[in-house]
Amino acid sequence: MKDEFISVASHELRTPVTSIKGFLGLLVEEQTGPLNQEQRNYMDAIKRNTLRLERLVSDLLDVSRFESEMIGLERSNFNLFEVVDQVVAELQSESDGNPLRIRRSDSQENVSVYGDRSRISQILVNLIGNAIKYSGAGDAIDIEIVRPTQDSAVVQVNIMDQGPGIAPHDMERLFEKFFRADNSSTRSTAGTGLGLAIAKALVELHGGGIWAESELGKGSTFSFTLPASTLEE
């Protein structure tokens, strides 16, 4: 019953959210008339929260699709750095002015993977967004892309934050649907507990692995692997 409700509710919410987003875009672009600064500030806040709601609806739809095994991948070879740059730019614009320093290891100019570009972007949005959510003002978030050797069959992505960390007893359930670690940071931060579960499902659908390492008070590192592109592919 719960899974059926999630499926129906998420489908019913998608249409009004899309409509709100469309009309909001017209207002922000001043298609209906000029905005003063106070009105623009309100519109920017509405836009951020509409995008947040849109992601929630998308997450609920994905949960429903995973339950019914209806998720498919459109695979291609592409440069992972390009996708990371796009995701970082998108998330920084939604960070409410928080001066986060998101850095990327660029020891290699081109690291290509074989997978679904939009779904890998979703994995990155969920994991980097999670790091942003639990970071303080000025905290660094490091994004590292590693291909151990030129012939390695996988590419590894490490996302490291300086947040509050995760207690050992919460680590085992970290990637479960609707689970949120119980500490002062999670209690004061909005969230559904779906982002990490969806990231795990998408990584495993690509044939990769995902895991986390953390220490209370010293931050967390979320890592996942993806298949590296090859000439045969």
Side-chain angles (χ1 to χ4, degrees):
M1 178 65 73
K2 182 175 72 173
D3 291 339
E4 183 179 355
F5 171 78
I6 289 173
S7 177
V8 172
S10 55
H11 277 91
E12 290 299 318
L13 284 169
R14 175 174 247 179
T15 299
V17 169
T18 301
S19 178
I20 292 168
K21 186 179 177 183
F23 284 117
L24 182 60
L26 294 176
L27 292 171
V28 170
E29 293 168 8
E30 299 186 332
Q31 297 293 318
T32 59
L35 300 173
N36 61 41
Q37 189 57 52
E38 184 177 14
Q39 291 170 330
R40 182 164 293 281
N41 291 340
Y42 291 152
M43 288 297 175
D44 287 341
I46 295 169
K47 182 179 179 181
R48 286 194 301 273
N49 283 284
T50 300
L51 290 172
R52 190 175 302 165
L53 179 58
E54 183 181 44
R55 286 204 187 110
L56 171 58
V57 172
S58 179
D59 284 348
L60 290 171
L61 279 169
D62 280 341
V63 167
S64 174
R65 290 178 182 133
F66 282 123
E67 293 291 339
S68 57
E69 299 183 349
M70 293 177 61
I71 288 280
L73 299 178
E74 298 181 7
R75 298 177 189 262
S76 63
N77 294 310
F78 60 90
N79 184 353
L80 186 57
F81 279 163
E82 292 179 359
V83 176
V84 169
D85 284 341
Q86 291 169 1
V87 169
V88 167
E90 174 189 344
L91 292 178
Q92 282 184 323
S93 70
E94 299 175 22
S95 64
D96 293 327
N98 194 347
L100 294 163
R101 302 184 305 276
I102 301 179
R103 299 190 296 264
R104 181 200 70 191
S105 171
D106 55 2
S107 57
Q108 296 169 294
E109 294 182 0
N110 181 9
V111 174
S112 294
V113 296
Y114 182 64
D116 187 316
R117 187 182 182 114
S118 65
R119 289 301 186 178
I120 290 172
S121 175
Q122 184 179 1
I123 294 167
L124 289 164
V125 166
N126 286 358
L127 294 180
I128 299 173
N130 189 70
I132 290 174
K133 187 185 298 183
Y134 296 110
S135 293
D139 284 351
I141 296 173
D142 296 320
I143 304 167
E144 182 181 41
I145 300 174
V146 180
R147 188 168 183 179
T149 68
Q150 189 65 32
D151 299 325
S152 176
V154 298
V155 172
Q156 181 172 322
V157 181
N158 302 314
I159 299 168
M160 299 160 278
D161 66 55
Q162 298 175 339
I166 304 161
H169 64 270
D170 286 328
M171 293 293 287
E172 293 181 2
R173 301 187 59 197
L174 199 56
F175 295 99
E176 291 182 9
K177 287 186 302 181
F178 304 110
F179 175 75
R180 301 187 72 208
D182 185 20
N183 58 49
S184 58
S185 296
T186 56
R187 286 192 292 271
S188 62
T189 304
T192 61
L194 290 175
L196 294 182
I198 290 172
K200 180 177 186 291
L202 289 174
V203 167
E204 292 178 348
L205 199 59
H206 279 84
I210 186 169
W211 64 96
E213 298 175 354
S214 185
E215 186 175 348
L216 282 175
K218 295 187 178 180
S220 306
T221 298
F222 285 81
S223 302
F224 65 95
T225 58
L226 295 168
S229 62
T230 67
L231 293 177
E232 287 75 13
E233 292 158 345

